[in-house]
Amino acid sequence: MAKELFNRYVWLIDMLQRYGRLTRREIDELWMRSEYSGGRPMARRTFMNYRQAIQEMFDVNIECDPSTYEYYIEDPEALQGSGARVWALNTLAVNSLLDESQELRERIVLENIPSGQQFLRIVFEAMKENRIVSLSYRSFRRSTGTRTWVAPYFVRLFRQRWYMVGLNVTEQRIKTYSLDRVTSLELSDRTFVYPEGFAPADYFQDCFGITHGEGAAEEVVLRVPALQANYLRTLPLHESQVESERSDSHSIFRYRVKITPDLVQEIYALGFWQAEVLAPRSLREAVAARLAESLSHYGPSGTTPGGSSAQSPV
């Protein structure tokens, strides 16, 4: 019953996000088409209870315009962006939609997130109680694992992997740990003081990906073919993205970011879209070098890496 109530709250938020403003009659029409109605309209008292529960649970205020009697979300911008509340609501909305569409389950293909989710509960508990964790960690760069003590500051989800960011107690510096490379994780009795004024959202503000980088942010300028520019418009590379030029042949995008390995890797991949780095020169040269190295693995045109002529399959 609790899960069903939760899904109803999310349904109401989702409807108001989707349509913007709705009268009670319009909400009821949509409600009657949902699986939650059971063929019965939503009573006024029920609707008011849902409004109050949504405000208390999600800090989302549903207001009514007295001139039109339309209901709307007071601050829709607060439900945009990449915050934890937004992520949770979006996830719940998708789960609710899937629950409504059980007859289509064979036609819905989801992407698996295999990254160390089994350790998330321990990490969350450690963050709540400001307790240091003991973990065994095996980096992809090493053949053996290491044991260390970390004060977890925050977690971040990026490209299907959960990351824990915190203070390495031994080295006394903030480091990032991918939970899918953690082999064991335990709470300790040791506690830490969360640094005053530390803002997780600001920590990666000028970064792409999960690498923090020590250098200052620089202006990165990319020239992208017109077709591929559509992808960057709908899914920006970074929140600082600005499209400064647009034509039938190409667009120019500008960013304010730190030059980190994650950024170089991403722009290297964009190179296969024929994206060109215009600035800074150091990044242009780094991406060009990686593209040249990749091309060298294919050998001379028409031959395989071993030197023999390539033949069509029989």
Side-chain angles (χ1 to χ4, degrees), residues 5 9 47-60:
L5 266 177
Y9 302 154
F47 175 71
M48 293 304 173
N49 288 340
Y50 286 3
R51 283 181 67 189
Q52 182 177 350
I54 288 169
Q55 197 281 325
E56 293 174 353
M57 189 172 298
F58 300 111
D59 194 24
V60 173

Side-chain angles (χ1 to χ4, degrees), residues 119 122-123 132-138 145-152 164-168 175-179 181-188:
F119 295 123
I122 301 175
V123 173
I132 293 172
V133 297
S134 170
L135 62 89
S136 291
Y137 191 76
R138 184 172 180 177
T146 58
R147 191 80 183 175
T148 189
W149 300 87
V150 177
M164 176 181 68
V165 181
L167 181 71
N168 182 295
K175 299 182 72 173
T176 301
Y177 300 89
S178 177
L179 291 186
R181 283 161 244 172
V182 172
T183 55
S184 69
L185 181 68
E186 299 172 356
L187 281 173
S188 76

Side-chain angles (χ1 to χ4, degrees), residues 218-222 255 257 259 263 267 277-287:
E218 302 181 47
E219 185 181 47
V220 172
V221 184
L222 302 179
Y255 306 87
V257 287
I259 308 300
L263 179 68
I267 296 180
V277 179
L278 301 183
R281 177 174 291 276
S282 60
L283 179 59
R284 179 183 175 91
E285 292 174 349
V287 173

Side-chain angles (χ1 to χ4, degrees), residues 134-299:
S134 170
L135 62 89
S136 291
Y137 191 76
R138 184 172 180 177
S139 168
F140 289 153
R141 295 186 178 90
R142 297 183 178 181
S143 57
T144 59
T146 58
R147 191 80 183 175
T148 189
W149 300 87
V150 177
Y153 286 175
F154 67 96
V155 296
R156 177 181 172 117
L157 180 64
F158 179 71
R159 297 273 172 90
Q160 296 182 267
R161 300 182 193 274
W162 281 103
Y163 294 86
M164 176 181 68
V165 181
L167 181 71
N168 182 295
V169 177
T170 304
E171 300 178 22
Q172 282 298 297
R173 66 188 184 99
I174 298 177
K175 299 182 72 173
T176 301
Y177 300 89
S178 177
L179 291 186
D180 64 349
R181 283 161 244 172
V182 172
T183 55
S184 69
L185 181 68
E186 299 172 356
L187 281 173
S188 76
D189 295 328
R190 301 166 62 186
T191 60
F192 67 94
V193 177
Y194 187 77
E196 185 177 354
F198 182 84
D202 295 340
Y203 186 76
F204 285 113
Q205 182 176 7
D206 295 327
C207 307
F208 172 84
I210 203 66
T211 306
H212 179 254
E214 300 299 330
E218 302 181 47
E219 185 181 47
V220 172
V221 184
L222 302 179
R223 177 161 51 204
V224 181
L227 176 61
Q228 305 302 342
N230 292 322
Y231 291 93
L232 290 180
R233 288 190 200 102
T234 54
L235 187 61
L237 184 66
H238 185 261
E239 61 186 14
S240 65
Q241 177 173 296
V242 174
E243 187 173 5
S244 61
E245 183 180 318
R246 181 174 181 176
S247 70
D248 292 339
S249 62
H250 71 275
S251 284
I252 291 181
F253 293 95
R254 297 177 182 273
Y255 306 87
R256 190 71 184 172
V257 287
K258 294 180 180 180
I259 308 300
T260 63
D262 281 354
L263 179 68
V264 174
Q265 173 66 27
E266 183 68 11
I267 296 180
Y268 162 72
L270 290 178
F272 292 95
W273 288 6
Q274 298 180 347
E276 179 185 0
V277 179
L278 301 183
R281 177 174 291 276
S282 60
L283 179 59
R284 179 183 175 91
E285 292 174 349
V287 173
R290 293 199 61 176
L291 288 169
E293 182 183 0
S294 293
L295 186 60
S296 70
H297 291 306
Y298 288 87

